[in-house]
Amino acid sequence: MLAWERTSWSNGIVFRSLAAVALITMLLGGISSFVIRAQVVTRDHQAAQQRLSELLDTVESTASVATFANDDQLAREVVQGLLRSSEVLRVVIYSGEIELARAERSVDANAIQPTVLRPLFSPFKKGQVIGRIRLDANWDEISRRVAANSRNAVLVLFGQLLLVIAGTAGMVFLVVVRPIKATSDRLHRLDPANGGALEVPEGHARTEIGRLVGDINELTGRLLSTLNQERELREQQEISQRKYQNLFDHASSGIFVADKNGKLASYNPAFVKLTWLPRSATSQLHWLTDTGWDNSEKLLELLGRSADQQIACAGDFLLRGRRGDERWLHIAVLPLGDGSMQGTVTDVTERKRDEISARRLAVTDSLTGFANREGLLQAFAGLNAKESEALTVIMVDLEGFKQLNDAKGFHVGDQLLLGVAGRIREGGQAFDFLSRIGGDAFVLVVSGLSDQEALRPRVEALHEQLRDPYVVDQESIQIGVRIGIAFFPGDGVDMPQLLRGAELALNFVRESNRSAGFLAYKFFEPQLQVVVEHRRRLEDELRVAVNCGELRLAFQPIVDLNTGTLAGAEALLRWQHAERGFISPDVFIPLAERVGLIGEIGRRVLDEACRQVAEWRRDGLDIYVSVNVSVCQIPDDLSPEIILSMLDRHGLPPQAVAIEITEGVLMSDVSIAQRWIEQLRAAGLRIYLDDFGTGYSSLSYLKRFPMDTVKIDKSFIVDMNSSNSDCTLVETIITMAGSLGLNVVAEGIEEASQLALLRRLGCGYGQGYFFSRPVFADDFVAIARRINSESGNFGA
Amino acid sequence: MKTLRYLLLALLIAAPALPAGAADWVLIANPKAGIGHLSQDDVTNIYLGRYRRLASGLTAEPIDLPGDSLLKARFYRQLVDKNLAEINAYWARLVFSGKTRPPRVVASEEDAVQFVARNLDALAYVDKSMVDARVSVVFSMSE
């Protein structure tokens, strides 16, 4: 509020308005008095002239009579009469040229006197001039009178003006000044903060003053509310300012404001701590680049980019401390719009280290320290068929590693892998790149060599090296090694193609080892691709076959070797392809496993086998059926519940069905397989262990898993004769099984001598071409009859 | 009646044009006085008191008829175009100063003729028919 100053009287509105009125009135009065004066003078003079003229008019006829009659007496009467008017100075009447009469006043005439000269006509003859009368005006007198008149007029005028001034002043005072003064005084005393408002002076509700008061009230109201709002706003601002100040001071992130050149305007304690900003004692002025950035140009570039494009930018920057320590800081800057930038700084050293190590991990095999698949692909991502040097990709795979891992545990598997890796690394051969791309798959890359013959000795040497037994936990482990090789650029123009080529070659080695013979390694050849494609087509056809019933069951009799009678039948799946003819289970079962059809096939097989054996049993053929179950079907595809419900549906007792499993089942998840087997056995089903003697056949399995029967693989039986080692092995198995309370089924009996030998060794059951090849159900009954009828001359 | 008014109007209009022709009076003087001929101005000046002396050095005394005389009215009307009231008013102003007298008044035309016959300087106006050897005509409006 402004201090109230008392208005001095000369500044008061009363004085000013009155002075203005007086001044203007007087000015106008002065001007008009001049005009009036001039008018009065002129009018008075004219009036004097007029009066004189009229005076003459009154005496004219008498004067003309006197002149006509030359009567000087009468003429004298006339002039004396005229001189009685004070405005007349002198009168003379001439008759012709003779002065007839004269009268004059004895005064000093200063002014030039206007004279009225009038001819006198004969009273009896018109137009005849008989004399003249001359009248001199008393100008001094006239002037005196005119002056007095004009003075009076001016005085009257000024008197009127004074009255007008007084009236106007009074009205102005009453109508304008007083209400304004009253309003002004009230306004001075007014305290709008307490809700006071001005009163409208009485009678001024509709005048300008009333409106002014209304406007002032409205204005004060608005001012007051604006002030209140502003105060609230300021308080809120102060509160949020304090909040932000607290945040700023105590934030764990560094916060700064800088210009695009990195000149710091402000920053918080955390910023100093994070950036190791030197505390300058001499100057408060700091630059963002004052501290030990690894790449301060990049930081300035970030600031510049953010400022130029008005966008938020962020980046990670390495900071090097004076003691050689490092820190990664994430800096995010945001343009504030006034040319400066606000930035936040957070310590991301941990994350950065994690990232780096993760990146390293991502391309590294943590076990062996070799590159992993990703690392291999990255390292050779830039392969170019035209420019890159020739390469050889060698893929090494360990045979049966998975089973070993399952059987012995990962620890043993890992130790074995480490052993393999060590031999590769230190085996005296220089490889240009070492990687482990999967569980037991190593990929080695040799540059420059692309000649099979040149490579062969190296591959063979490698194979030899890796085949030597490994010692793990003081146990010697021997493991097969398979190698597939592909050349760049001949076999593929990029690493994925080369890997697939090498893998195809490797698979070829694996499969050929499984079927027959021994192969250490294989160079990729296009034919392998054809084989793969053939297999894929086969897969498609298998799906069709399952649905079209091309898969049929054949049954091979199992004979009780003691009685020669038929004990049961092994159900074997046959695929009679419409075009290709007979396809071996060895081919299509793995296929079915791979493409996920094995579950459905398995259920169909079991269902059909049950249906068939139930039919036979109804016909009086009291036999059981044994069904092969793949490791893939355990435990869910053929859960004990499914099997039992199927038996139930066909009205079979549990002993009518035997389940044949391979060692693979036992080597997978031990506890699951164990529970599955136990559930089936508890339900009364018999469990056969198929292909016993191949693979890792271990007696400990027999001890651990509750089997009923082992089936000796036909490879032992075929080569068996009374003097060789196979015979000893078979005998051992039979003896051992006997001691464990297990039955034995010998597979692949083809000759009578083998049958005789097995019977001598005490083998309980047998099957093979000697009795019958697998036949379809239609033919089986006849075979069964034949076997049972021959049983009479059996035992001898 | 109408016809008479028009006649009067015509007379009034024609009167100034025919002053002499219409006049039935003449101014007479004593033949012995030797006054030859007087102008109308002379007659006016003498009768209305401007002067009473003739050019020949003779004094002239105008004789007037009584106020009720029709001829008197006709005389002044034809001479100076004034009625008798105006003539009387004129004389009233001059008589007041006492310097000039109005003409002597005789009782009748006959008296006027006799007066002229007896007085050498007298002048009088009479009807034409009154003129005889005793007097001579010095002015007539017909001229």
Side-chain angles (χ1 to χ4, degrees):
Chain A
M1 280 274 178
L2 284 172
W4 171 260
E5 285 175 41
R6 181 138 192 97
T7 315
S8 85
W9 66 272
S10 60
N11 287 330
I13 194 164
V14 185
F15 175 79
R16 284 190 176 191
S17 54
L18 292 187
V21 166
L23 197 68
I24 289 168
T25 315
M26 286 300 167
L27 195 65
L28 292 175
I31 293 167
S32 58
S33 76
F34 273 110
V35 174
I36 287 171
R37 214 179 140 93
Q39 276 179 345
V40 164
V41 167
T42 313
R43 196 190 63 212
D44 280 5
H45 280 166
Q46 282 171 348
Q49 291 270 22
Q50 179 80 19
R51 266 197 311 279
L52 290 177
S53 182
E54 282 168 3
L55 207 57
L56 278 182
D57 287 345
T58 61
V59 299
E60 189 182 3
S61 67
T62 310
S64 75
V65 168
T67 308
F68 186 80
N70 287 314
D71 190 335
D72 54 349
Q73 205 71 37
L74 185 59
R76 195 167 298 115
E77 291 285 335
V78 169
V79 295
Q80 291 290 348
L82 286 176
L83 203 61
R84 234 172 261 137
S85 165
S86 61
E87 292 175 0
V88 177
L89 184 70
R90 181 187 301 126
V91 188
V92 184
I93 295 178
Y94 298 95
S95 174
E97 294 304 318
I98 303 145
E99 190 180 291
L100 194 62
R102 167 187 282 259
E104 60 188 314
R105 218 176 275 277
S106 55
V107 288
D108 293 331
N110 300 325
I112 300 161
Q113 290 127 13
T115 299
V116 183
L117 194 61
R118 186 174 288 193
L120 292 170
F121 295 96
S122 161
F124 303 107
K125 192 169 182 188
K126 278 204 174 74
Q128 186 187 12
V129 177
I130 53 172
R132 54 199 154 92
I133 182 165
R134 180 187 141 168
L135 192 147
D136 294 337
N138 185 357
W139 198 246
D140 288 342
E141 175 63 22
I142 291 172
S143 295
R144 206 162 34 245
R145 205 172 293 166
V146 164
N149 279 349
S150 66
R151 201 164 43 244
N152 282 344
V154 168
L155 279 175
V156 166
L157 178 71
F158 275 92
Q160 285 170 340
L161 286 181
L162 280 175
L163 286 176
V164 166
I165 289 170
T168 311
M171 286 313 287
V172 165
F173 182 74
L174 283 177
V175 174
V176 180
V177 176
R178 207 172 56 177
I180 287 179
K181 172 102 170 69
T183 306
S184 160
D185 288 348
R186 277 187 217 134
L187 190 62
H188 175 54
R189 288 193 300 270
L190 187 70
D191 185 7
N194 288 338
L198 276 183
E199 287 168 41
V200 179
E202 203 177 332
H204 282 279
R206 285 158 188 268
T207 64
E208 285 84 346
I209 290 171
R211 231 169 49 207
L212 186 67
V213 168
D215 287 349
I216 287 173
N217 282 337
E218 200 185 314
L219 191 68
T220 47
R222 258 185 303 186
L223 267 175
L224 213 60
S225 70
T226 308
L227 278 172
N228 281 337
Q229 281 173 3
E230 201 174 333
R231 198 177 54 228
E232 281 169 26
L233 212 65
R234 206 170 46 234
E235 281 166 5
Q236 278 176 0
Q237 267 177 352
E238 277 169 14
I239 290 169
S240 55
Q241 184 84 38
R242 267 203 303 280
K243 270 195 255 176
Y244 283 122
Q245 190 63 45
N246 275 335
L247 271 179
F248 187 74
D249 286 343
H250 299 111
S252 62
S253 298
I255 302 169
F256 67 90
V257 175
D259 67 8
K260 62 180 287 185
N261 300 316
K263 193 167 105 186
L264 288 166
S266 71
Y267 44 84
N268 67 350
F271 176 79
V272 177
K273 214 153 64 188
L274 281 172
T275 57
W276 295 323
L277 193 71
R279 283 172 206 271
S280 160
T282 52
S283 162
Q284 279 295 102
L285 191 69
H286 276 302
W287 295 78
L288 200 53
T289 47
D290 282 350
T291 185
W293 298 106
D294 184 48
N295 192 348
S296 54
E297 286 78 21
K298 227 176 92 189
L299 180 59
L300 289 178
E301 188 194 306
L302 179 86
L303 285 174
R305 193 169 71 236
S306 175
D308 293 344
Q309 302 175 12
Q310 288 292 302
I311 49 165
C313 294
D316 294 339
F317 297 91
L318 180 62
L319 191 63
R320 294 191 191 279
R322 268 170 297 185
R323 289 188 296 274
D325 37 358
E326 286 183 356
R327 182 176 275 179
W328 278 96
L329 295 177
H330 178 78
I331 297 183
V333 292
L334 192 70
L336 290 176
D338 59 350
S340 65
M341 242 89 53
Q342 172 196 300
T344 53
V345 180
T346 41
D347 188 346
V348 292
T349 309
E350 286 294 313
R351 197 195 73 201
K352 209 69 187 180
R353 280 186 190 144
D354 289 351
E355 270 178 23
I356 290 170
S357 77
R359 204 174 298 143
R360 199 177 296 138
L361 274 179
V363 296
T364 309
D365 171 32
S366 57
L367 180 66
T368 60
F370 288 5
N372 62 8
R373 176 182 288 271
E374 190 58 36
L376 174 69
L377 291 176
Q378 275 183 20
F380 292 94
L383 270 189
N384 186 309
K386 286 175 187 155
E387 292 165 17
S388 301
E389 194 188 5
L391 294 175
T392 307
V393 173
I394 302 167
M395 188 181 284
V396 178
D397 169 60
L398 304 180
E399 203 175 334
F401 175 77
K402 188 177 174 343
Q403 285 83 349
L404 178 89
N405 222 358
D406 289 344
K408 306 264 186 182
F410 289 110
H411 171 69
V412 174
D414 286 351
Q415 291 296 314
L416 181 65
L417 287 173
L418 277 174
V420 172
R423 286 187 195 176
I424 291 172
R425 195 185 282 128
E426 292 147 19
Q429 290 205 47
F431 295 103
D432 295 295
F433 196 87
L434 301 175
S435 65
R436 186 170 78 107
I437 63 168
D440 61 341
F442 291 84
V443 172
L444 319 172
V445 180
V446 183
S447 300
L449 283 173
S450 63
D451 178 16
Q452 287 193 10
E453 292 314 314
L455 204 63
R456 238 178 252 281
R458 293 190 60 169
V459 174
E460 281 165 5
L462 177 68
H463 187 255
E464 285 303 318
Q465 263 175 7
L466 298 181
R467 254 172 60 98
D468 282 349
Y470 297 85
V471 176
V472 176
D473 289 351
Q474 294 156 1
E475 191 180 340
S476 176
I477 296 175
Q478 180 154 25
I479 195 155
V481 174
R482 298 171 293 211
I483 296 174
I485 302 145
F487 292 110
F488 170 83
D491 299 335
V493 295
D494 58 21
M495 187 49 72
Q497 278 185 19
L498 292 169
L499 287 178
R500 191 156 57 246
E503 195 174 3
L504 284 172
L506 195 66
N507 286 342
F508 180 81
V509 173
R510 183 189 296 141
E511 277 158 31
S512 54
N513 283 357
R514 189 177 293 168
S515 49
F518 174 78
L519 197 59
Y521 59 91
K522 174 77 181 168
F523 290 98
F524 172 79
E525 47 194 64
Q527 185 60 35
L528 297 177
Q529 187 72 38
V530 175
V531 170
V532 168
E533 276 160 21
H534 173 253
R535 189 187 296 149
R536 188 174 307 128
R537 203 155 53 240
L538 212 57
E539 281 171 13
D540 292 340
E541 288 167 351
L542 178 62
R543 288 175 217 276
V544 176
V546 168
N547 292 323
C548 296
E550 278 184 2
L551 296 178
R552 291 180 65 192
L553 278 184
F555 298 90
Q556 187 170 36
I558 299 173
V559 178
D560 184 338
L561 296 187
N562 291 319
T563 62
T565 55
L566 187 68
E570 182 181 4
L572 295 163
L573 194 57
R574 290 288 178 268
W575 182 6
Q576 194 62 40
H577 192 278
E579 293 158 19
R580 299 173 204 237
F582 174 75
I583 296 173
S584 164
D586 290 341
V587 174
F588 74 79
I589 290 299
L591 260 182
E593 287 176 353
R594 195 156 54 229
V595 301
L597 280 169
I598 193 71
E600 189 181 348
I601 292 173
R603 281 192 296 279
R604 285 189 182 203
V605 165
L606 182 63
D607 190 45
E608 177 62 19
C610 287
R611 190 195 62 75
Q612 192 60 61
V613 81
E615 185 186 317
W616 287 331
R617 285 168 77 98
R618 273 196 303 278
D619 292 348
L621 204 55
D622 186 19
I623 57 170
Y624 68 88
V625 67
S626 72
V627 180
N628 292 284
V629 171
S630 158
V631 65
C632 303
Q633 295 168 272
I634 297 170
D636 294 330
D637 276 348
L638 271 180
S639 65
E641 290 76 28
I642 292 174
I643 295 170
L644 292 176
S645 75
M646 222 173 267
L647 289 177
D648 205 36
R649 181 142 46 89
H650 293 290
L652 287 173
Q655 62 272 18
V657 176
I659 302 295
E660 292 192 16
I661 56 173
T662 59
E663 285 170 339
V665 173
L666 308 179
M667 288 170 75
S668 61
D669 196 319
V670 172
S671 61
I672 289 172
Q674 200 162 6
R675 194 161 61 247
W676 187 81
I677 290 167
E678 279 167 359
Q679 280 176 339
L680 286 178
R681 273 184 58 97
L685 276 82
R686 282 174 286 176
I687 306 296
Y688 285 20
L689 184 60
D690 204 3
D691 298 340
F692 191 77
T694 60
Y696 288 93
S697 301
S698 164
L699 286 175
S700 65
Y701 291 145
L702 301 180
K703 202 176 149 205
R704 255 166 94 187
F705 295 102
M707 300 290 169
D708 295 285
T709 303
V710 293
K711 293 183 85 170
I712 301 171
D713 193 71
K714 61 184 170 201
S715 58
F716 297 107
I717 308 300
V718 166
D719 295 335
M720 182 181 69
N721 57 58
S722 53
S723 58
N724 64 7
S725 62
D726 281 343
C727 182
T728 317
L729 194 62
V730 170
E731 188 180 2
T732 309
I733 291 169
I734 291 167
T735 310
M736 200 167 49
S739 62
L740 287 170
L742 300 176
N743 286 320
V744 177
V745 178
E747 288 184 291
I749 301 172
E750 293 181 1
E751 292 165 17
S753 61
Q754 293 164 348
L755 172 64
L757 191 53
L758 285 167
R759 286 183 67 178
R760 196 155 47 81
L761 293 174
C763 181
Y765 299 92
Q767 69 182 95
Y769 285 8
F770 179 76
F771 300 109
S772 168
R773 53 174 60 239
V775 294
F776 292 123
D778 298 342
D779 302 328
F780 186 81
V781 179
I783 301 282
R785 264 194 214 111
R786 181 182 52 99
I787 289 172
N788 281 337
S789 68
E790 284 171 358
S791 66
N793 49 20
F794 188 66
Chain B
M1 283 296 279
K2 252 183 186 173
T3 330
L4 188 64
R5 266 197 205 156
Y6 283 124
L7 255 172
L8 279 171
L9 193 65
L11 276 174
L12 277 171
I13 295 166
L18 311 162
D24 53 351
W25 53 270
V26 289
L27 196 73
I28 56 172
N30 194 311
K32 285 172 213 154
I35 301 167
H37 219 74
L38 292 175
S39 67
Q40 189 175 350
D41 282 344
D42 289 338
V43 176
T44 306
N45 288 337
I46 290 164
Y47 261 85
L48 289 163
R50 188 165 169 81
Y51 50 84
R52 296 276 161 84
R53 197 175 297 271
L54 298 171
S56 58
L58 293 172
T59 305
E61 182 169 7
I63 303 297
D64 221 343
L65 291 175
D68 54 354
S69 166
L70 286 174
L71 182 60
K72 184 180 179 178
R74 225 163 36 243
F75 168 74
Y76 281 105
R77 168 65 65 197
Q78 287 177 350
L79 188 67
V80 293
D81 196 23
K82 304 262 188 240
N83 59 31
L84 289 182
E86 286 169 320
I87 297 298
N88 288 339
Y90 172 77
W91 281 118
R93 295 184 213 183
L94 289 173
V95 168
F96 193 69
S97 69
K99 197 183 173 191
T100 317
R101 288 174 290 103
R104 180 191 296 261
V105 177
V106 295
S108 64
E109 285 177 72
E110 185 53 43
D111 289 348
V113 173
Q114 284 176 9
F115 190 85
V116 169
R118 272 196 316 271
N119 293 295
L120 210 61
D121 54 357
L123 291 173
Y125 58 90
V126 293
D127 194 281
K128 263 181 199 167
S129 58
M130 295 293 284
V131 177
D132 55 23
R134 289 175 292 168
V135 291
S136 62
V137 174
V138 292
F139 176 72
S140 143
M141 277 302 283
S142 59
E143 288 172 26

